[in-house]
Amino acid sequence: MRAIRRFTVRTVLPEALAPLDTLAQNLRWSWHTPTRELFASLDPQLWEAVHGDPVALLGSLDPKRLQLLANDRALVAQIRELDADLQRYLTEPRWYQNECDLPDKPSAIAYFSAEYGITAVLPQYSGGLGILAGDHLKSASDLGVPIVGVGLLYGAGYFKQSLTRDGWQHETYPLIDPDNLPLTLLREADGTPARVQLPLPAGRTLHAQIWLAQVGRVPLLLLDSNILENDDAARRVTDRLYGGSPDHRLQQELLLGMGGVKALRVYARLAGGPRPEVYHCNEGHAGFLAVERIREIIEAEGVSFETALEAVKAGTVFTTHTPVPAGISRYSTELISEYFGGGSELSGIPLQKVLALGAEDYEGGNPAVFNMAILGLRAAKRANGVAKLHGKVSRGMFHQLWPGFDVTEVPITSVTNGVHGPTWTDPAFAEMAESHLTPEQLRSGEGWRLTPEEGGVSDAELWQMRRKLRTKLVKEARRRVRKSWLQRGASPAELGWTDEVLDPDVLTIGFARRVPTYKRLTLMLSDPERLARLLTDPERPIQIVVAGKSHPDDEQGIGLIQRLVQFADQAGVRERIVFLPNYDIAMAQTLMPGCDVWLNNPLRPLEASGTSGMKCALNGALNLSILDGWWDEWYDGRNGWAIPTADGVEDPATRDQLEAAALYELLETTVVPRFYDRDADGIPRHWMEMVRHTLATLGPKVQATRMVRDYVARLYTPTAASGRALDGVAGHDGARALAEWKSAVREAWPTVRVDHVESDGVAEVVQLGDRISITAYVSLGRLKPEDVQVQVVSGRPDEEDELTDIEVHELTQAQELEGGRYAFTGSRELERTGPFGYAVRVVPAHGDLAAYTELGLVAAAAH
């Protein structure tokens, strides 16, 4: 029977200890070492037992122990100082207030994500998307960027993973108790829980309450449908992350997007603060936020759907995280129609308008499908991928939305992901660095180039720290391996060998991530005998620590885990390769710093970014990776190794075999010898050179503070400016004018054409530095010259005369002819040798467009 109400009875803290509750409720403790150390000191054994959860710790301390602590003057003074430090952190101006001098920067940003990985205590994440979202909020907090996060509170989070005796993944879904987490229920002034409501088909209503997680300075709103007002089915909407039927997932995404906007309004009403000027949709799951904002504007001002859409687009940023079409949420148009058609139709928003936003109405698309990524792109003014290569892949993936343009012109840019340094740098490593280097030397990375005589960290101390972190990992891995085998049914008498698992002096390679097939968990098993020789070499062995979860519905991924586990179970190698179940933040914070090498071998280019290797780099580990995601742009030949790829080989098995052989070769001939090549002091000097170079060069780049600054400068600020112009004024005159202009341009576009092109200056022999003049005669029909831009697109023609490496130059109006015809002219100097070709085209132009590609319209000169 399901409980109709649940609550936790908490300990009442003595007045002297009252600030502990404030420190426990703000998730800054998850990345603030002094605060965690304070909680651990209250009862070290209990702190271990509650897995580092301050709220659970305080709830488990008995009154006598609390009174003893309250009588400890030194402890009380320490608590007060940490509370004062937190208050300073929350209120003092930071980078955004002091150093970010962009005049159009937004006063507030709403950040929507389906998952958040902030701490293992709050299990609301499945993998990289959630960890990235958590790091985004933490770094925004550190920088003082005014973000409000929006998500869902899942009753069972993502699943807990264990193994069966045969090595199969087994999932369980233990329920979480929000009252015993660092969360606060948002309440109205009269003390009743604040609520949002969404209409559902058949006259049903979905109600949700709002939990507030305080992530440093950043409030995170989490919607929860498990409340008494809902029927049984509605209560289960937020039961677990990425589970259930398409109908169930659609309801989750409706609650996240539309309910999330409603939650923002409730929070603003109760807590005050500015209304968001930018809405950041982190992946397509939250795409319906656009529909709710359109509904708000129509309801408030009675404007047209098109006007409201322009106002919403102007203030929206969309980030795509997947280069794999299968990773995108797609629903049948029939299912969408149930929620937005018939009796469920929203006032002023016809069903066909909603369907058009997510329609795959392009060549190769499925007309029966509603695509959440397409919705995200069509409802946003600006869009980005999460690494340079991923931006390129995304432009190709969504090129059909802009079919008349070169793939390089598709309006999807990129901001390379980063990781939150204080979360992912081991505290001991950070303490060592801070004892030698200034904050500026650490920020720039230059401190790692200093010699000990200049105040830097010596090779000996750095190498000793690397061994300390490796030893910590070995100890934790042994504990987890033993625990896993006991869960798998082994008796303690069988498990003496687990005390010898791994060795703190052996080259340690890590591989941990989600387990979809493209990440190729078992590539290392392509030649089991060769791998076994590497693992068991008597002089220079390696050891491998593996972790990762596969989605319960992914049978192939689950099979890969079982294959890896069965190999690791074998006598003879089981002391050198281990699989650690239930990969989460807590495991990662020991695993990543403790590895010497981080292995990543996805099928290129299917890794969007991948941030696990960044976390390792912060701790002096080296990457060994396929050139994909972030590694493709930041590998420099000295910060790790690039695994050669068999690009162009179409047979998957052959490609895997070739790339596995390249991996083995790198390990045998380069990586392993370099690790074990020691001087008279036992230090691998060449290896340490690479470690220092990694810390100096990658250390600053991989920081999520760098990433958030990039978002502020390149996406949030220009989006805030366009949002103010089109959505910041009552009446939305700017949005109405833009919508009417777009409608007129679309109606007139069939009559727009390039009639004739003339060129001058092209001699029989064309030389570098020659100047070519071009005149284009165009017909604009009912449009005016100010409505368009006439462009010359030049580049290198290939064998099919398709232009590559294109450059775009605007022509200027030279003459008005009769019948809506105009002449446009321009000239340019030929600045590069080799084949040269050009084309002329007409595109729409308006001051409120983010780019000339926004409408997807182009009229090109005939060949």
Side-chain angles (χ1 to χ4, degrees):
M1 179 179 293
R2 293 175 67 85
I4 62 171
R5 190 179 178 198
R6 60 186 178 189
F7 53 86
T8 297
V9 180
R10 290 189 180 179
T11 304
V12 177
L13 294 173
E15 186 176 349
L17 303 182
L20 285 174
D21 190 56
T22 303
L23 292 170
Q25 289 293 325
N26 192 306
L27 290 165
R28 185 202 184 205
W29 60 257
S30 69
W31 71 91
H32 190 245
T33 301
T35 304
R36 289 198 308 279
E37 289 176 343
L38 167 69
F39 282 115
S41 73
L42 301 182
D43 190 323
Q45 286 187 318
L46 185 57
W47 179 250
E48 288 291 326
V50 298
H51 308 293
D53 179 349
V55 174
L57 176 80
L58 296 180
S60 302
L61 289 169
D62 64 58
K64 288 183 180 179
R65 175 64 178 163
L66 287 171
Q67 195 55 54
L68 273 174
L69 295 170
N71 294 334
D72 185 334
R73 292 184 179 180
L75 175 66
V76 171
Q78 184 185 7
I79 291 170
R80 287 175 179 164
E81 174 50 37
L82 284 170
D83 182 51
D85 179 72
L86 175 62
Q87 298 313 311
R88 287 192 295 272
Y89 174 85
L90 296 176
T91 56
E92 286 180 352
R94 303 187 74 81
W95 169 81
Y96 197 76
Q97 293 74 31
N98 288 334
E99 300 174 47
C100 180
D101 56 1
L102 300 167
D104 290 326
K105 65 185 181 183
S107 57
I109 302 143
Y111 183 91
F112 288 70
S113 182
E115 53 175 298
Y116 289 92
I118 297 165
T119 164
V121 168
L122 200 61
Q124 300 293 304
Y125 57 94
S126 72
L129 179 69
I131 301 299
L132 183 279
D135 283 3
H136 196 109
L137 297 194
K138 292 174 187 178
S139 298
S141 174
D142 289 344
L143 293 169
V145 179
I147 281 182
V148 180
V150 181
L152 301 180
L153 182 71
Y154 302 98
Y158 203 46
F159 67 88
K160 283 200 168 183
Q161 179 196 52
S162 58
L163 298 174
T164 68
R165 185 73 189 214
D166 294 333
W168 292 102
Q169 171 178 288
H170 176 67
E171 306 96 20
T172 55
Y173 294 87
L175 294 177
I176 63 173
D177 177 5
D179 285 311
N180 206 31
L181 292 173
L183 301 172
T184 304
L185 191 61
L186 198 61
R187 296 183 180 274
E188 298 287 352
D190 62 4
T192 59
R195 298 278 197 262
V196 299
Q197 295 82 35
L198 279 184
L200 296 177
R204 295 171 60 230
T205 300
L206 175 61
H207 304 267
Q209 60 189 1
I210 307 163
W211 294 93
L212 173 64
Q214 199 62 43
V215 187
R217 298 166 68 113
V218 172
L220 170 59
L221 310 178
L222 299 170
L223 287 87
D224 172 16
S225 72
N226 188 18
I227 55 177
L228 186 58
E229 290 90 330
N230 283 327
D231 59 34
D232 242 16
R235 288 182 72 179
R236 287 194 293 269
V237 167
T238 55
D239 59 354
R240 61 181 63 168
L241 177 60
Y242 302 144
S245 65
D247 184 58
H248 182 265
R249 292 195 300 274
L250 176 60
Q251 289 184 27
Q252 286 187 337
E253 297 190 355
L254 288 166
L255 182 60
L256 173 61
M258 300 184 72
V261 173
K262 291 174 182 284
L264 279 171
R265 306 299 180 241
V266 172
Y267 179 73
R269 173 171 57 81
L270 296 175
R275 188 184 182 97
E277 293 186 298
V278 174
Y279 294 77
H280 185 174
C281 185
N282 188 43
E283 195 48 89
H285 309 109
F288 289 115
L289 72 89
V291 177
E292 173 59 20
R293 291 181 59 217
I294 289 169
R295 186 203 64 77
E296 284 183 330
I297 294 171
I298 292 174
E299 183 180 271
E301 302 192 22
V303 299
S304 69
F305 174 88
E306 288 72 22
T307 295
L309 174 60
E310 291 304 327
V312 167
K313 276 176 64 82
T316 304
V317 172
F318 174 66
T319 299
T320 174
H321 283 265
T322 177
V324 186
I328 295 171
S329 293
R330 300 165 83 227
Y331 300 103
S332 71
T333 53
E334 188 177 326
L335 181 60
I336 298 294
S337 299
E338 289 182 31
Y339 285 84
F340 291 101
S344 300
E345 190 165 290
L346 299 173
S347 178
I349 306 181
L351 169 63
Q352 291 308 314
K353 300 284 190 183
V354 177
L355 290 175
L357 288 174
E360 294 187 355
D361 53 357
Y362 45 80
E363 185 178 348
N366 184 344
V369 160
F370 184 91
N371 185 310
M372 294 297 290
I374 301 300
L375 166 63
L377 288 166
R378 286 184 173 142
K381 199 72 168 179
R382 290 168 179 83
N384 69 285
V386 292
K388 283 186 179 179
L389 179 60
H390 179 235
K392 179 180 178 181
V393 171
S394 297
R395 289 188 286 274
M397 186 171 167
F398 296 109
H399 187 203
Q400 290 302 326
L401 292 176
W402 295 271
F405 294 93
D406 188 81
V407 67
T408 61
E409 297 178 284
V410 170
I412 300 175
T413 185
S414 64
V415 174
T416 302
N417 282 346
V419 297
H420 185 243
T423 295
W424 299 108
T425 305
D426 186 90
F429 190 93
E431 183 181 1
M432 175 199 70
E434 289 163 7
S435 70
H436 290 274
L437 309 177
T438 67
E440 178 53 37
Q441 288 170 339
L442 287 169
R443 268 194 298 272
S444 68
E446 288 305 308
W448 295 106
R449 303 186 192 279
L450 300 177
T451 65
E453 293 72 26
E454 296 169 318
V457 182
S458 69
D459 277 357
E461 186 176 1
L462 183 53
W463 179 240
Q464 188 58 37
M465 175 55 65
R466 292 296 313 143
R467 188 184 189 281
K468 180 178 179 179
L469 298 178
R470 200 183 309 119
T471 301
K472 184 179 175 183
L473 169 58
V474 168
K475 181 180 177 181
E476 177 66 4
R478 288 173 179 173
R479 184 189 69 80
R480 288 179 179 268
V481 168
R482 182 179 178 83
K483 179 182 176 182
S484 175
W485 270 104
L486 290 171
Q487 291 174 334
R488 294 171 70 181
S491 68
E494 299 176 76
L495 299 179
W497 63 271
T498 59
D499 294 337
E500 304 299 323
V501 164
L502 307 183
D503 183 326
D505 292 309
V506 166
L507 171 60
T508 304
I509 299 173
F511 183 103
R513 50 190 45 86
R514 288 185 308 111
V515 190
T517 51
Y518 76 85
K519 291 183 183 281
R520 300 195 294 185
L521 169 69
T522 56
L523 187 72
M524 65 181 80
L525 300 183
S526 297
D527 187 339
E529 290 78 17
R530 195 171 180 182
L531 177 60
R533 288 195 298 273
L534 279 162
L535 293 167
T536 60
D537 187 286
E539 301 296 327
R540 302 185 307 184
I542 68 170
Q543 56 195 14
I544 304 177
V545 183
V546 183
K549 295 179 177 179
S550 178
H551 190 282
D553 294 336
D554 183 359
E555 293 183 4
Q556 283 185 296
I558 291 172
L560 295 178
I561 290 175
Q562 198 246 2
R563 185 181 166 206
L564 191 286
V565 171
Q566 286 193 327
F567 178 84
D569 284 350
Q570 296 177 83
V573 298
R574 63 186 183 183
E575 290 85 7
R576 286 285 178 264
I577 180 169
V578 296
F579 181 89
L580 305 182
N582 204 39
Y583 181 44
D584 66 359
I585 289 175
M587 182 195 295
Q589 287 175 319
T590 301
L591 171 57
M592 290 167 179
C595 289
D596 299 294
V597 172
W598 194 253
L599 175 62
N600 188 32
N601 46 230
L603 191 64
R604 190 178 191 269
L606 301 185
E607 181 87 284
S609 174
T611 56
S612 54
M614 297 180 177
K615 296 158 192 164
C616 299
L618 288 176
N619 294 279
L622 304 177
N623 278 267
L624 171 61
S625 177
I626 295 285
L627 286 174
D628 203 2
W630 72 275
W631 190 237
D632 181 72
E633 67 192 87
W634 285 342
Y635 167 67
D636 66 6
R638 297 171 59 199
N639 52 13
W641 299 273
I643 303 170
T645 54
D647 295 341
V649 176
E650 295 185 4
D651 178 60
T654 302
R655 179 168 179 170
D656 285 355
Q657 187 178 26
L658 291 171
E659 294 183 3
L663 169 60
Y664 296 137
E665 180 77 12
L666 259 178
L667 287 169
E668 292 164 346
T669 63
T670 305
V671 180
V672 173
R674 191 161 298 174
F675 180 84
Y676 287 106
D677 180 18
R678 311 291 169 86
D679 67 5
D681 296 321
I683 297 173
R685 297 291 177 181
H686 193 173
W687 186 275
M688 298 310 294
E689 286 176 15
M690 295 181 71
V691 168
R692 287 183 180 280
H693 180 74
T694 292
L695 291 166
T697 59
L698 285 183
K701 288 180 183 176
V702 302
Q703 298 284 346
T705 45
R706 184 271 315 153
M707 173 190 75
V708 172
R709 287 189 186 103
D710 286 350
Y711 272 105
V712 168
R714 297 175 49 206
L715 292 169
Y716 293 162
T717 296
T719 301
S722 59
R724 291 187 193 110
L726 300 183
D727 188 31
V729 182
H732 289 89
D733 291 340
R736 180 183 291 108
L738 181 59
E740 290 172 354
W741 177 84
K742 282 187 175 182
S743 176
V745 168
R746 288 189 179 104
E747 184 179 345
W749 202 255
T751 65
V752 174
R753 63 181 183 273
V754 179
D755 295 321
H756 179 58
V757 178
E758 295 178 353
S759 61
D760 185 38
V762 181
E764 287 188 19
V765 178
V766 182
Q767 295 180 327
L768 190 68
D770 286 354
R771 196 160 197 88
I772 180 172
S773 298
I774 295 171
T775 301
Y777 299 90
V778 302
S779 294
L780 299 182
R782 294 188 299 276
L783 300 182
K784 300 297 182 185
E786 57 266 29
D787 294 323
V788 301
Q789 191 177 103
V790 180
Q791 300 174 336
V792 174
V793 183
S794 61
R796 297 187 187 279
D798 63 16
E799 293 180 356
E800 306 294 327
D801 283 337
E802 292 290 333
L803 295 176
T804 62
D805 300 326
I806 68 165
E807 295 180 2
V808 177
H809 297 270
E810 183 181 358
L811 299 180
T812 56
Q813 183 190 345
Q815 189 177 5
E816 180 177 356
L817 308 172
E818 56 186 30
R821 296 179 70 243
Y822 300 85
F824 290 77
T825 64
S827 65
R828 60 163 301 190
E829 185 177 315
L830 301 178
E831 297 174 334
R832 59 186 183 187
T833 58
F836 179 85
Y838 70 88
V840 175
R841 69 186 182 190
V842 184
V843 296
H846 190 284
D848 288 325
L849 298 182
Y852 56 77
T853 53
E854 186 169 317
L855 274 75
L857 299 175
V858 60
H863 292 288

